[in-house]
Amino acid sequence: MFKVLRKNLVTLLAAALLIAAFVWWYQSRGFSDTAMAGVPEYGDVDQRSILAEGDIGSRLEPSYLAYYQKAGDDGAKDTKGHQIVVKGADYTAISGSGASRQRDPEGRRGDVAALTAEGGWVEYEVDIPESGFYQMGILYYAMKEKGASVQRSVRIDGEYPFFQSKRIVFQRMWKEAAPTRFDEMGNEFNPKQEEVFGWQYREFRDPEARAEEPFRYYLTKGKHNIRIEHTRESAAIGELRVFSPVVIPTYAEVLETYKQRSYKEISNSLIKVQAEDAKLKSDPTLRRKDNREPATEPFNRSATLLNTIGGSSWRDGGQWIEWEIEVPESGLYQIGSRFLASWLNEIPVQRTVTIDGVVPFKEMNAVDFPYSQRWQVSGLGGGDTPYLYYLEKGKHNLRMEVQVGQLGQVFERIQDVSQRLSYLSREIIMVIGTNPDPNREWELERNIPNLVPRLHLMALDLQKAIESMYEMGTEKGSPELASIATARDLFVDLAANTDSIAGRSDKLSDTQSQLSGWITSMNKQRLQLDYLIVKSPDQPWPKATAGLATKLGVGMYDFFTSFTKDYRSIGITGEEDEGEPLKVWVARGRDWAQIIKQMADEDFTTATGINVDINVIPAGAMNLLMLAVTSGKAPDVALGVEPVIPIDFALRDGLKNLSDYPDYQEVANRFRPGALIPYRFQGGNYALPENQNFSMMFYRKDILQELGITKIPQTWQEVMDIIPTLQRHGMDFFYSHSTAGAISEFAPFLFQQGGDFYREGGKSSALDSAEALAAMKMWTGLYTNYKISKEASFYNRFRSGEMPIGVADYSTYVQLMTAAPELTGWWEMLPMPGIKRPDGKIDRSVGGASQTGIIFKNTKKSQEAWEFLKWWVSAPVQERFGTELEALMGVEARWNTANVEALMNLPWPQKDIEAILEQWEWFREREIVPGDYLTTRYVNNIWNEIVLKGKNVREAMEDGVKEVNRELKKKREEFGLDRETVGMRTDKEVGSR
């Protein structure tokens, strides 16, 4: 024994040291607040940026919390006892279009004011009896339109008092249209959601729920004009109400009232309401979800049951779910729930709770659901002593609405730091430039006023934010605070060593992105519910989780059945026909596939009698299609196929030529002609586009106005003309560059110059043409001559103002629409810049990657496959799929359909649809030919040679073309294409105007 120990002594000592080091690291891995020890206290320091005078900050309204605090500091107080009600039709002014007087849709209220188009508005005059704070609300009726929530802006005397007043959200009402469905394996599927129409009342509230109570507007005594303007979706106004702030009693006050009225506690009563059986909800996204914890009710170990509601879809301010509860007798009850709040580490999520439309007491404005990785059961608030609620015998409506109030002040502080950091970063760039010499002494403290105090004060504000998070229950060293603590430490470090700022200037932009990302992630208040509990105080709460034996049993069952269970198949829910169903593979997530299956069962199979068997394959796993073909097990149809795949299969005679179907051209007319180019080969057509990305130009109206740029650039030359102006002010123009997307970034310049990638349908490269050379010079010149950033987070820098204009794709549009409310009204989207033709038209040609649907050649159900593919890409189906997908997964999953008609009916703002359709007039994708992959590779290589290595443009192009031509010739010889009697046609003209 001792011999063994002596022989391995060194190894054992090394292992012990490693274990000790790991333990030390694990215990000290959190963030230490000692970094702030050397930061001095500051008095009145001027933190204003030299850029802030009359600049962006003066044009963007303050946040609501800043407005409310300033008004309070100036002496404003709540008024008491006042209520003004103005009928919707009693307006003093109305816009010439987009607004009108109409009859009440339900016929009970007489005339109402209806706002039915963007830009429509009505004005009401109210006579305020006393100066002070007032709250407001409207009685509204959401009219049938695209199904999105209603949005309105509110101006007081022609001004927005705070930026949230530009976008006030009024939710619609939804319910399940039918019972849930089950497939032959017992798996449960969500039913279709349908809208419930009716009058609703709602106060003007923060759309992100960062304030617990409705907005307080400061109004002076006298007459004021209140303008309500349409920004999205049609709705009628029945009443406008202006009233003194509602004071909700505390629980202690309510409890005293219970005693005075001799209310008694109920006994021997316990009622469960399954949360998934909601009566109403604000969004069709709030659907049933499955959960495999054995204590979840109901539970079936052999199948998937939709036994909960909420989770990732119930997270945004204003979203609510309502249930109907019925109690057997009048008295005092406890109300609770079985819930899961596992998404925000150590931070509780909150909900506002109302019963029959009323907040029972103040504490219900923000009910905490504590964080845990496990399911929990507890009362709604009250801690160890759950609150009591008086309920009359009979039915009641209980509603929970997302609330973020506890984090509002933290978000406000961090956003303020982010804005000050944006100004400071731009000031630094104005001194050192975009590519500074890190070895030069820049003397930033002399050139930037109060540089060190400003850095220290930003660090102190972040420290206060961290301390606020500690007070909410976040543990010290929590990874949830990593972004804030890292930024705080960076500011302290930079203040101690200002000479290092030039070499670390990129870290300031990265830090700003991290702070914005932290707010976005923490703003999502996810909560999942299994059931509600209404019980008498003498009854114990149900157990939150199943016992160990039960969990082990279910775990073992799942393990053994995993060897035989088909996880890719979406089961059949309709009646099977004789013979095999049509086999469709979907290269998307299971949620996407389930929607397609549901729609096919309800619509396609019902109309045609053709059953459809849906199977899921991983997105991007296109090799599975090739393996299926070679093994003789290919499906009939595949959806979600990447755009370069159809020609690979057509080259090997693996796909049906869709041109052989007599009505192909009729179907092809649903898309822009230029969108079909990549799927043509040897005169045939081998795929149809499902969705379609697109690039647009985004710009900040406020910043360009401040810079004196009154004409928004329409051509690339006009873009180049404004870049020096932007850069003089520490700003930049954005045009993305990535290795994977280089060819798509180059294509617009090539097409707009009148060039193409290939000659004679792919026999040789056309990148040695004069047009290609001019396009490459223009594209790379943006980076070499104008020094625009090669890499940046456009979304974050657009928000901060560092990149007030740029070209980006559809995902940026969705981000700005959903996560940048403070910019509402200050940005627009237009078609991307182009090149002016001799006839005066601006050529804006641009493509966009798409996913496609294909039919395999070896199918035995050729006509059935074509009927399915036609059905799938039709406008009504694409419109419904987009609506269902957004309902299930949120606006972030908005479906960018390639069908032009369907796009027009999706819930986009009309002005944005018009901009997209204008850009789509110039939509043109590149031709895909055998050997095309080398063109993709060499376009990126050419960019690297020119931009990064300084190589001559012509020389770099010529070297690249030689390699591309060699590969094209090799591929054509390999497949014997030049021996074919039918030559490949060129699509150079297709898609151009």
Side-chain angles (χ1 to χ4, degrees):
M1 180 70 177
F2 291 108
K3 281 186 178 181
V4 174
L5 289 174
R6 193 164 50 247
K7 184 177 180 181
N8 297 284
L9 182 61
V10 175
T11 303
L12 292 171
L13 286 173
L17 287 171
L18 285 173
I19 292 171
F22 175 79
V23 171
W24 173 83
W25 169 83
Y26 184 83
Q27 293 178 341
S28 62
R29 72 194 190 285
F31 296 96
S32 170
D33 294 336
T34 58
M36 301 300 296
V39 176
E41 291 291 334
Y42 288 95
D44 188 15
V45 175
D46 185 1
Q47 298 187 66
R48 289 179 301 171
S49 167
I50 58 174
L51 300 172
E53 295 296 332
D55 192 37
I56 309 162
S58 65
R59 291 182 172 271
L60 289 175
E61 295 82 5
S63 70
Y64 168 69
L65 293 175
Y67 161 87
Y68 178 58
Q69 182 175 346
K70 183 179 185 305
D73 292 343
D74 292 342
K77 298 187 180 299
D78 286 353
T79 58
K80 295 181 180 179
H82 302 300
Q83 177 157 336
I84 302 166
V85 179
V86 184
K87 290 184 177 181
D90 292 344
Y91 45 78
T92 54
I94 190 169
S95 60
S97 61
S100 62
R101 181 192 296 265
Q102 295 186 12
R103 295 293 295 173
D104 171 11
E106 294 186 350
R108 296 183 292 112
R109 296 184 173 277
D111 286 351
V112 296
L115 301 181
T116 54
E118 291 177 40
W121 53 264
V122 288
E123 277 189 3
Y124 300 95
E125 185 177 84
V126 293
D127 194 354
I128 300 300
E130 174 189 2
S131 296
F133 284 124
Y134 290 83
Q135 293 173 330
M136 302 185 197
I138 59 170
L139 188 68
Y140 70 98
Y141 187 100
M143 303 166 75
K144 187 174 180 59
E145 201 173 338
K146 295 181 179 180
S149 58
V150 176
Q151 293 186 10
R152 296 292 181 262
S153 65
V154 176
R155 300 191 206 200
I156 311 294
D157 299 325
E159 302 290 338
Y160 297 112
F162 38 86
F163 72 73
Q164 288 93 338
S165 198
K166 293 179 179 178
R167 187 179 75 97
I168 299 179
V169 177
F170 300 92
Q171 304 285 2
R172 294 176 178 271
M173 296 184 292
W174 297 83
K175 70 175 184 178
E176 294 177 344
T180 56
R181 302 175 302 114
F182 295 84
D183 64 16
E184 81 283 0
M185 295 180 288
N187 298 315
E188 190 175 15
F189 291 83
N190 267 298
K192 185 179 179 181
Q193 308 293 303
E194 69 177 8
E195 186 171 359
V196 178
F197 294 96
W199 286 99
Q200 300 181 72
Y201 173 74
R202 186 169 178 84
E203 304 92 345
F204 297 166
R205 288 179 173 268
D206 184 353
E208 294 189 276
R210 295 185 185 179
E212 292 180 4
E213 298 183 326
F215 290 141
R216 281 171 162 80
Y217 292 85
Y218 177 72
L219 300 175
T220 56
K221 182 179 179 180
K223 293 183 178 180
H224 295 269
N225 287 319
I226 300 172
R227 173 180 287 195
I228 302 174
E229 186 170 350
H230 180 296
T231 54
R232 190 175 78 179
E233 296 287 295
S234 299
I237 300 174
E239 290 178 354
L240 167 68
R241 301 176 187 174
V242 182
F243 50 92
S244 297
V246 176
V247 179
I248 302 173
T250 65
Y251 178 67
E253 293 169 336
V254 170
L255 194 59
E256 186 61 32
T257 303
Y258 292 165
K259 293 177 182 178
Q260 293 173 3
R261 297 178 180 177
S262 301
Y263 291 156
K264 302 297 183 183
E265 294 181 0
I266 299 300
S267 61
N268 300 318
S269 178
L270 191 150
I271 302 164
K272 283 185 181 180
V273 178
Q274 294 301 319
E276 62 271 19
D277 295 328
K279 178 184 177 182
L280 286 174
K281 44 204 171 184
S282 62
D283 291 270
T285 57
L286 300 173
R287 300 190 176 198
R288 300 168 182 251
K289 301 178 76 71
D290 68 285
N291 182 263
R292 291 288 293 171
E293 213 283 340
T296 304
E297 300 178 2
F299 181 77
N300 184 342
R301 70 176 187 172
S302 302
T304 298
L305 293 185
L306 303 177
N307 48 11
T308 68
I309 196 169
S312 58
S313 61
W314 194 23
R315 64 185 190 181
D316 296 322
Q319 289 184 308
W320 54 261
I321 304 176
E322 184 172 292
W323 299 268
E324 184 176 83
I325 57 178
E326 185 173 4
V327 295
E329 57 180 307
S330 300
L332 297 175
Y333 294 83
Q334 292 175 344
I335 301 177
S337 66
R338 181 175 186 263
F339 64 92
L340 181 66
S342 62
W343 289 272
L344 296 182
N345 191 16
E346 303 300 335
I347 300 170
V349 297
Q350 291 187 327
R351 293 294 184 267
T352 295
V353 177
T354 62
I355 299 176
D356 297 327
V358 177
V359 178
F361 37 86
K362 188 174 183 180
E363 287 80 355
M364 291 296 100
N365 253 332
V367 177
D368 282 346
F369 291 82
Y371 166 84
S372 175
Q373 288 291 331
R374 305 173 65 188
W375 283 89
Q376 303 175 70
V377 171
S378 71
L380 299 180
D384 295 333
T385 307
Y387 296 135
L388 294 171
Y389 302 81
Y390 178 75
L391 299 176
E392 291 280 356
K393 177 182 177 180
K395 295 180 179 180
H396 299 270
N397 294 321
L398 186 147
R399 177 180 293 190
M400 292 189 194
E401 182 173 324
V402 176
Q403 177 63 260
V404 195
Q406 63 174 351
L407 289 168
Q409 293 287 354
V410 176
F411 292 160
E412 187 87 355
R413 191 180 296 277
I414 294 176
Q415 278 184 327
D416 181 59
V417 170
S418 181
Q419 184 64 52
R420 284 147 54 194
L421 177 58
S422 173
Y423 282 131
L424 183 59
S425 298
R426 287 163 52 198
E427 288 180 66
I428 291 170
I429 291 172
M430 289 178 67
V431 176
I432 68 176
T434 55
N435 295 296
D437 180 356
N439 299 315
R440 175 179 168 181
E441 293 185 6
W442 290 98
E443 298 182 335
L444 290 175
E445 289 184 64
R446 292 181 54 189
N447 292 290
I448 298 177
N450 292 321
L451 173 62
V452 171
R454 287 164 69 183
L455 287 167
H456 278 157
L457 287 168
M458 287 192 294
L460 286 165
D461 278 343
L462 292 183
Q463 178 62 27
K464 291 176 183 176
I466 291 171
E467 290 169 357
S468 297
M469 297 297 291
Y470 291 159
E471 292 173 4
M472 294 176 198
T474 306
E475 291 185 357
K476 292 194 174 185
S478 169
E480 293 290 355
L481 302 179
S483 297
I484 311 176
T486 301
R488 176 202 64 192
D489 294 349
L490 174 67
F491 296 151
V492 173
D493 192 38
L494 292 177
N497 188 12
T498 56
D499 290 339
S500 70
I501 292 178
R504 303 162 70 187
S505 58
D506 287 346
K507 285 189 174 295
L508 294 177
S509 297
D510 293 341
T511 296
Q512 192 172 356
S513 299
Q514 289 168 5
L515 293 177
S516 298
W518 184 86
I519 293 174
T520 301
S521 65
M522 296 298 292
N523 207 40
K524 306 302 182 183
Q525 299 279 299
R526 299 172 178 86
L527 181 69
Q528 194 164 347
L529 294 180
D530 179 18
Y531 52 75
L532 302 178
I533 307 159
V534 182
K535 73 177 189 68
S536 56
D538 62 340
Q539 295 294 308
W541 295 102
K543 290 184 178 181
T545 58
L548 180 60
T550 303
K551 289 183 178 179
L552 285 174
V554 172
M556 292 294 291
Y557 178 84
D558 287 347
F559 174 73
F560 286 111
T561 56
S562 68
F563 295 101
T564 57
K565 190 173 181 179
D566 184 1
Y567 291 95
R568 297 186 305 163
S569 177
I570 306 296
I572 294 174
T573 56
E575 294 294 328
E576 292 194 44
D577 60 358
E578 295 182 3
E580 289 291 320
L582 186 73
K583 294 181 179 179
V584 178
W585 286 10
V586 179
R588 296 191 176 93
R590 190 174 181 85
D591 289 333
W592 278 260
Q594 285 181 335
I595 296 173
I596 297 171
K597 174 61 177 173
Q598 178 180 337
M599 291 173 57
D601 286 347
E602 295 175 354
D603 187 359
F604 178 72
T605 300
T606 302
T608 65
I610 303 170
N611 264 318
V612 180
D613 182 16
I614 302 287
N615 275 270
V616 181
I617 63 173
M622 297 295 101
N623 60 312
L624 294 180
L625 297 177
M626 185 65 74
L627 292 172
V629 171
T630 55
S631 64
K633 296 181 179 180
D636 302 297
V637 179
L639 304 179
V641 178
E642 294 176 359
V644 296
I645 297 300
I647 298 308
D648 278 348
F649 279 81
L651 185 64
R652 295 163 174 84
D653 198 29
L655 298 183
K656 290 287 292 184
N657 181 357
L658 304 183
S659 302
D660 292 342
Y661 295 106
D663 53 348
Y664 166 76
Q665 193 55 52
E666 178 186 339
V667 176
N669 289 338
R670 300 170 182 174
F671 315 100
R672 296 305 309 159
L676 300 171
I677 291 175
Y679 320 124
R680 294 196 174 114
F681 177 70
Q682 296 285 79
N685 295 274
Y686 292 93
L688 291 175
E690 299 177 86
N691 57 7
Q692 191 168 285
N693 202 352
F694 49 85
S695 294
M696 303 289 289
M697 184 172 72
F698 300 84
Y699 72 97
R700 287 276 298 269
K701 294 188 290 185
D702 54 337
I703 298 179
L704 295 192
Q705 289 173 9
E706 185 61 36
L707 297 177
I709 301 173
T710 56
K711 182 183 178 183
I712 306 304
Q714 300 294 314
T715 67
W716 285 110
Q717 184 56 55
E718 291 173 354
V719 167
M720 295 171 189
D721 290 342
I722 70 167
I723 289 177
T725 302
L726 295 173
Q727 292 177 343
R728 280 199 304 272
H729 291 81
M731 304 178 198
D732 207 354
F733 177 85
F734 177 78
Y735 190 80
S736 68
H737 174 72
S738 65
T739 300
I743 195 165
S744 298
E745 296 151 12
F746 172 58
F749 295 94
L750 179 62
F751 293 152
Q752 292 170 17
Q753 288 282 3
D756 210 336
F757 283 97
Y758 304 104
R759 296 187 180 94
E760 299 181 80
K763 288 188 176 181
S764 63
S765 174
L767 294 182
D768 56 357
S769 65
E771 295 86 354
L773 183 64
M776 184 61 72
K777 285 182 177 178
M778 180 175 286
W779 179 40
T780 56
L782 290 172
Y783 306 95
T784 57
N785 299 331
Y786 290 91
K787 306 292 184 183
I788 69 170
S789 298
K790 303 177 185 68
E791 186 178 355
S793 170
F794 179 57
Y795 163 70
N796 284 306
R797 296 196 182 187
F798 189 78
R799 288 183 73 179
S800 69
E802 294 172 83
M803 287 183 167
I805 184 169
V807 173
D809 65 6
Y810 150 85
S811 62
T812 300
Y813 170 78
V814 173
Q815 281 185 301
L816 291 172
M817 286 291 291
T818 59
E822 75 278 9
L823 296 184
T824 301
W826 289 116
W827 67 273
E828 282 190 1
M829 177 177 72
L830 294 174
M832 75 179 299
I835 296 175
K836 187 171 287 189
R837 289 177 168 184
D839 62 3
K841 289 184 178 179
I842 298 176
D843 189 325
R844 303 179 190 271
S845 297
V846 64
S850 62
Q851 292 174 309
T852 68
I854 57 177
I855 299 175
F856 288 93
K857 189 166 186 178
N858 62 353
T859 178
K860 296 178 182 179
K861 293 177 174 285
S862 174
Q863 190 58 41
E864 292 91 334
W866 176 239
E867 292 299 324
F868 176 82
L869 193 57
K870 284 194 303 181
W871 167 83
W872 170 240
V873 298
S874 64
V877 173
Q878 286 289 291
E879 180 185 344
R880 181 184 167 190
F881 179 74
T883 303
E884 292 281 336
L885 184 64
E886 189 169 335
L888 178 65
M889 307 188 72
V891 71
E892 296 90 341
R894 180 165 288 176
W895 181 245
N896 49 328
T897 178
N899 186 300
V900 178
E901 181 185 347
L903 174 78
M904 298 174 67
N905 294 323
L906 289 177
W908 302 63
Q910 189 58 38
K911 62 182 178 60
D912 295 339
I913 288 179
E914 291 170 359
I916 293 168
L917 291 177
E918 183 181 351
Q919 181 63 72
W920 273 18
E921 288 295 315
W922 296 94
F923 192 89
R924 178 184 175 188
E925 264 291 72
R926 63 189 175 91
E927 187 179 5
I928 306 295
V929 302
D932 175 77
Y933 56 84
L934 207 67
T935 301
T936 300
R937 184 186 308 166
Y938 267 91
V939 166
N940 182 64
N941 291 347
I942 291 168
W943 187 92
N944 289 337
E945 292 290 328
I946 297 169
V947 177
L948 302 182
K949 299 181 180 179
K951 196 170 186 177
N952 177 270
V953 175
R954 182 181 293 277
E955 184 181 351
M957 291 285 281
E958 289 175 350
D959 291 345
V961 168
K962 289 177 184 177
E963 296 298 326
V964 172
N965 280 334
R966 186 178 295 116
E967 187 66 18
L968 293 177
K969 181 179 179 182
K970 175 183 173 183
K971 283 296 177 184
R972 294 184 69 81
E973 289 176 353
E974 178 183 345
F975 290 98
L977 295 178
D978 292 328
R979 295 194 299 270
E980 297 289 339
T981 56
V982 180
M984 293 174 68
R985 63 186 291 266
T986 177
D987 291 298
K988 179 177 179 180
E989 307 301 329
V990 179
S992 60
R993 295 187 59 174

